[in-house]
Amino acid sequence: MGDNFFSYLQAIVEHIKIWEGIKGKWVLSLSKNNIADVQNNAKLPLPYRDVIDTYYLPLKVAGWILFSIYSFMAFYKLVIDRLVDVVVVLLKGDYSIGDLGLFDYSSWRLTTNFMPFETILRYINYSQYFNWEIIIVNLLGNLLIFTPMGFLLPLLSKKFRKAWVIICLGFISSLAVETVQFIFTVGSADIDDLILNTIGAWLGYLAYKGILIRPKNEKSSPV
C-alpha cells in the first residue's frame, strides 16, 4: 500500500513537471509573439520614445496642463465669452432678458442651420460678397479649433488612440457647444460648424499619426 502510494505521488510530481515545462514554453512563445506584435505595430520613433521614457511624468503633467488650457480657451471663445457679455449687460440693468432675445426661439430659422454644407457652400459660392476675415473665421477657424484635441489626447492617453474615439469626442464636444448656443441664443447654431469641428479633430489625429507614429513597414531609425 505504501509503495503504491509513493508511486502515485511520484507520478503526480512527474506530471506536474511535464505541465510546468509545457506551460513555460507556451508562455515564452506567447511573450515572443507579443513582442513581435509590438514591433510590427506602429510606434513612436526612437528619439521621441527616448525623450518620453526619460521625462515621462513631467511631460504627462505638462501635456494635461496644456490640454486643459486649450480646452478652456476654446470653450471660452465659443460660448463663455458671449455668455459673459450677456451677463454683464443684464447686471447693468439697461436691458432685460426679453430685450436681448435670450430664450426667444421665434426667429430661430435666422440663426440656426440644420442643412448640412449650406453655410459652407454659401461662403464658397458667394465669397465675393463676404469679408475674407469672416470666411476664414467661420470656415478655417471652425476647422482648426478642435485640431489640438485630436493631436494631444492620443499623446496623453491610450484610450484616445483610435480614430473613431477622436471623431466621436470631437462630434460630442462640438454638439455640446452648438446646443448651448442654441439654448441661450448666443451666436448661431450651425450643423456645418459641427461638421467642421469634427473634421478638425480628425485632422489633429491624422497629424498625430503622421508626425509621431512610424508606419508598420518602416524600420526604426538608429538612436
Side-chain angles (χ1 to χ4, degrees), residues 78-159:
L78 293 170
V79 176
I80 299 176
D81 186 26
R82 298 166 182 174
L83 290 178
V84 168
D85 290 340
V86 170
V87 171
V88 169
V89 171
L90 289 175
L91 290 176
K92 287 182 177 179
D94 297 331
Y95 298 94
S96 64
I97 292 179
D99 294 331
L100 294 175
L102 292 177
F103 309 108
D104 180 7
Y105 307 112
S106 59
S107 59
W108 66 270
R109 293 181 183 275
L110 300 177
T111 59
T112 307
N113 172 43
F114 293 122
M115 186 67 65
F117 304 108
E118 181 177 306
T119 303
I120 296 174
L121 292 176
R122 184 188 304 129
Y123 283 126
I124 295 175
N125 294 331
Y126 304 101
S127 59
Q128 65 271 25
Y129 300 108
F130 292 98
N131 187 306
W132 275 104
E133 183 179 350
I134 295 176
I135 296 177
I136 292 174
V137 169
N138 284 278
L139 295 185
L140 190 60
N142 279 314
L143 191 66
L144 295 180
I145 196 166
F146 277 19
T147 300
M149 173 192 294
F151 184 84
L152 290 173
L153 281 179
L155 288 175
L156 297 174
S157 176
K158 294 180 180 179
K159 297 178 181 178

Side-chain angles (χ1 to χ4, degrees), residues 67 70 78 142-143 145-151 153-154 160 162-178 191-205:
F67 180 75
Y70 149 74
L78 293 170
N142 279 314
L143 191 66
I145 196 166
F146 277 19
T147 300
M149 173 192 294
F151 184 84
L153 281 179
F160 303 105
K162 298 291 184 182
W164 68 268
V165 175
I166 293 297
I167 291 172
C168 289
L169 187 61
F171 177 85
I172 293 171
S173 301
S174 180
L175 181 62
V177 170
E178 298 301 317
I191 193 172
D192 284 0
D193 292 349
L194 182 63
I195 294 172
L196 291 171
N197 293 159
T198 305
I199 293 175
W202 177 61
L203 290 177
Y205 177 80

